Amino acid sequence: MRTVTIVGASLAGLHAARELRAQGFDGRLVIVGEEPHHPYDRPPLSKDFLTGRADESRLALTDADETAGLDAEWLLGVRARGLDTRGRTVVLDDGRTVSTDGVVIATGAAARRLPGDSPAGIHTLRTLDDARALRADLSRGPRRVVVIGGGFIGAETASSCARLGHEVTVVEAAPLPLVPQLGAPMAAVCAALHRRGGVELVTGTGVAGLRGTTAVTGVDLTDGRALPADLVIVGIGAVPNTAWLAGSTLALHDGVLCDDGCVTALPQVVAVGDVARVGGARTEHWTSATEQPRVAVTNLLAGHTRTTARPLPYFWSDQYDSRIQFAGRYREGDTVQVTEGEITDDGAPGESGFLARYERDGRTVAVLGVDRPRAFMRARRELQRAEGERGERAAAPAAL
Ligand SMILES: NC(=O)c1ccc[n+]([C@@H]2O[C@H](COP(=O)([O-])OP(=O)(O)OC[C@H]3O[C@@H](n4cnc5c(N)ncnc54)[C@H](O)[C@@H]3O)[C@@H](O)[C@H]2O)c1
């Protein structure tokens, strides 16, 4: 393999570049990125960057020394428009083409938008440029902010806006926020965090439309209510960036389909990060974007799936003054129990937080920690160990 092209210059793309060099690839390395920036860290965008506690210099994921060491050609500020898998060419929006032997798809996902035209004052938050625009708009004095969607972006931006002194309402279509991720009992804790943080949470209703012609003035809800607003943040999920692959032979279905080793139907094309559906699941977590590239690059360089990985999913979220950490795989029907600390009468975490365990068929399948980082890390390690042992037992030949 003489040339490898990584399409997508964010966390997963950067980790793929690091892995390629670490695993001995000494050929030509091209990194294509739609955004004009070198890779930066997205988690602070909805938290410390929005509240002004972190400036842009704290976001960089790499520095001049590392980029020199990677010896890559960075094509930034340009989108890939197509992948010709037969001709082994990546086609760029500006007409350029890159001939390549191997491809790492790391194009991530884009913020889902509400249909129709948006008046001024409507924001999504995914990129540094989005965060700059939102921060600038918020800095124009106290505003009435409506956040649409009570997922991660919704909850984190709502708590940042409340901390900045804005009047905030969150609109969530489901009866509780974060149920798919945490299940109803623990989702209720997140709802209590909103209440404790002074944010109104309106659930079980969607958005019928936005008011305002040049600038937004309000949000009409499907239950007939109208909320006045000077600024609206839309956090209603993310869509994997696969449109550029439509003409390729790759299988696409809510992401790029790959096996457990991040390999697509073509051994010279692998996918990592938010865009990759690995072994049937797409995990939009920071840790997946840092773990998948090692496996993907090993297999890309081997020319076949030599190794697979099913790391235990992990995510964290900072909401109001609480840190929520979750590891494992939650499924509807799992039971959940607080095993350390407590949930108070108002439904929010007690002063020293709590640890909860999710059980299925008599075994722990996931752990949740709220403001209990040490206990959580211990429980996460135990779960990792148990999962690893289960995996080994499943892979071992049956005893005679
Ligand atoms: N801490 C973290 O791990 C973190 C933080 C920020 C973002 N992210 C990632 O960013 C991505 C986007 O985050 P997100 O919060 O937008 O997505 P999400 O899927 O976490 O939440 C979207 C929420 O919007 C609700 N919703 C959808 N349509 C709606 C409508 N019309 N009206 C009201 N509610 C509606 C859904 O019910 C859901 O609760 C995700 O991939 C997420 O994993 C992760």
Side-chain angles (χ1 to χ4, degrees), residues 240-254:
N241 286 321
T242 56
W244 69 284
L245 294 165
S248 73
T249 53
L250 298 178
L252 307 173
H253 177 68
D254 184 36

Side-chain angles (χ1 to χ4, degrees), residues 96-139:
R96 281 181 290 175
T97 56
V98 183
S99 296
T100 194
D101 305 304
V103 176
V104 180
I105 298 172
T107 41
R112 190 188 297 278
R113 288 168 194 278
L114 289 172
D117 293 336
S118 292
I122 311 285
H123 294 265
T124 52
L125 180 52
R126 181 87 195 173
T127 66
L128 174 58
D129 293 350
D130 292 340
R132 282 176 179 164
L134 177 56
R135 198 160 102 155
D137 213 354
L138 286 167
S139 71

Side-chain angles (χ1 to χ4, degrees), residues 39-368:
Y40 59 86
D41 207 20
R42 292 183 204 274
L45 294 182
S46 52
K47 308 169 193 122
D48 285 356
F49 180 74
L50 211 54
T51 55
R53 288 201 286 192
D55 63 20
E56 285 189 29
S57 63
R58 295 250 309 269
L59 302 179
L61 285 173
T62 183
D63 57 23
D65 280 352
E66 187 188 27
T67 45
L70 286 175
D71 188 21
E73 291 168 43
W74 295 81
L75 307 181
L76 298 178
V78 61
R79 285 163 63 97
R81 175 156 48 91
L83 176 64
D84 177 352
T85 43
R86 252 189 232 128
R88 300 198 168 196
T89 306
V90 176
V91 184
L92 306 183
D93 236 1
D94 60 9
R96 281 181 290 175
T97 56
V98 183
S99 296
T100 194
D101 305 304
V103 176
V104 180
I105 298 172
T107 41
R112 190 188 297 278
R113 288 168 194 278
L114 289 172
D117 293 336
S118 292
I122 311 285
H123 294 265
T124 52
L125 180 52
R126 181 87 195 173
T127 66
L128 174 58
D129 293 350
D130 292 340
R132 282 176 179 164
L134 177 56
R135 198 160 102 155
D137 213 354
L138 286 167
S139 71
R140 289 168 43 216
R143 332 284 306 274
R144 290 166 305 177
V145 176
V146 172
V147 177
I148 302 175
F152 292 113
I153 286 291
E156 293 183 3
T157 55
S159 67
S160 296
C161 290
R163 177 166 281 151
L164 290 168
H166 302 283
E167 186 188 318
V168 188
T169 306
V170 175
V171 179
E172 165 57 49
L176 278 171
L178 292 167
V179 173
Q181 293 88 348
L182 304 178
M186 295 300 131
V189 175
C190 297
L193 286 177
H194 285 294
R195 284 196 299 271
R196 202 188 257 185
V199 165
E200 189 185 353
L201 177 64
V202 178
T203 58
T205 181
V207 171
L210 300 169
R211 289 190 178 188
T213 40
T214 50
V216 71
T217 58
V219 178
D220 288 323
L221 304 182
T222 48
D223 67 4
R225 275 183 289 174
L227 302 172
D230 311 303
L231 192 152
V232 171
I233 301 169
V234 180
I236 56 171
V239 189
N241 286 321
T242 56
W244 69 284
L245 294 165
S248 73
T249 53
L250 298 178
L252 307 173
H253 177 68
D254 184 36
V256 178
L257 268 57
C258 352
D259 65 14
D260 281 335
C262 302
V263 180
T264 68
L266 300 169
Q268 74 275 20
V269 182
V270 295
V272 290
D274 288 8
V275 74
R277 178 166 283 276
V278 179
R282 203 165 62 75
T283 39
E284 297 178 357
H285 299 325
W286 191 93
T287 36
S288 309
T290 61
E291 289 167 350
Q292 289 166 350
R294 186 179 50 79
V295 168
V297 163
T298 302
N299 294 332
L300 180 69
L301 296 178
H304 64 274
T305 303
R306 210 174 72 184
T307 172
T308 63
R310 234 181 143 236
L312 195 69
Y314 165 69
F315 64 80
W316 80 95
S317 179
D318 294 328
Q319 301 181 14
Y320 304 94
D321 288 323
S322 287
R323 166 150 292 199
I324 298 166
Q325 294 173 289
F326 184 91
R329 297 179 178 86
Y330 162 74
R331 223 196 273 157
E332 204 183 333
D334 293 345
T335 56
V336 57
Q337 216 180 339
V338 173
T339 54
E340 278 184 43
E342 59 164 358
I343 297 174
T344 57
D345 289 344
D346 68 352
E351 228 168 78
S352 53
F354 69 85
L355 183 78
R357 290 175 194 272
Y358 293 69
E359 308 264 325
R360 189 185 313 151
D361 302 329
R363 67 185 174 88
T364 303
V365 289
V367 288
L368 167 74

Side-chain angles (χ1 to χ4, degrees), residues 12-58:
L14 175 65
H15 275 263
R18 287 176 178 160
E19 279 298 332
L20 279 158
R21 291 308 188 208
Q23 294 188 33
F25 175 69
D26 61 2
R28 180 182 175 219
L29 179 56
V30 182
I31 303 174
V32 181
E34 176 182 8
E35 292 179 62
H37 317 290
H38 273 93
Y40 59 86
D41 207 20
R42 292 183 204 274
L45 294 182
S46 52
K47 308 169 193 122
D48 285 356
F49 180 74
L50 211 54
T51 55
R53 288 201 286 192
D55 63 20
E56 285 189 29
S57 63
R58 295 250 309 269

